[in-house]
Amino acid sequence: MFFLSTGNDVLAPTGYEVIATVLALAAVVVFVWALIVLARSARSLTKRELVLWLLLVLFIPLIGPVAWIATSVKHRKRPSIS
């Protein structure tokens, strides 16, 4: 059974360390996902848009990648039914 450490054991992580690690891993996953989605849709963007989105994703942690993913999903082309 897993118990969060109260800080007495130097080798066991505290609850805050576990939460911080999970949040950091989630931020890294969102960052990588945003870069992959940006690379896939690079052909549909102008060079200026691509550079601006790339700078936003790289230099504004968590907000930049989430903004890119949110706008790219909203504007993704849906296949036409004919």
Side-chain angles (χ1 to χ4, degrees):
M1 188 159 230
F2 178 73
F3 295 103
L4 294 176
S5 173
T6 59
N8 297 334
D9 186 6
V10 294
L11 296 178
T14 62
Y16 296 113
E17 292 171 337
V18 172
I19 292 170
T21 302
V22 169
L23 290 177
L25 287 174
V28 168
V29 167
V30 169
F31 174 73
V32 170
W33 182 25
L35 286 179
I36 291 171
V37 172
L38 184 60
R40 286 179 148 186
S41 60
R43 290 183 182 173
S44 65
L45 299 172
T46 64
K47 288 183 182 182
R48 178 180 288 173
E49 290 173 336
L50 180 63
V51 169
L52 289 175
W53 274 114
L54 189 60
L55 289 174
L56 184 72
V57 167
L58 289 175
F59 293 115
I60 302 180
L62 201 58
I63 295 173
V66 169
W68 166 248
I69 291 170
T71 57
S72 69
V73 169
K74 188 191 322 186
H75 296 290
R76 188 175 292 167
K77 293 181 181 179
R78 292 191 176 134
S80 60
I81 301 173
S82 13

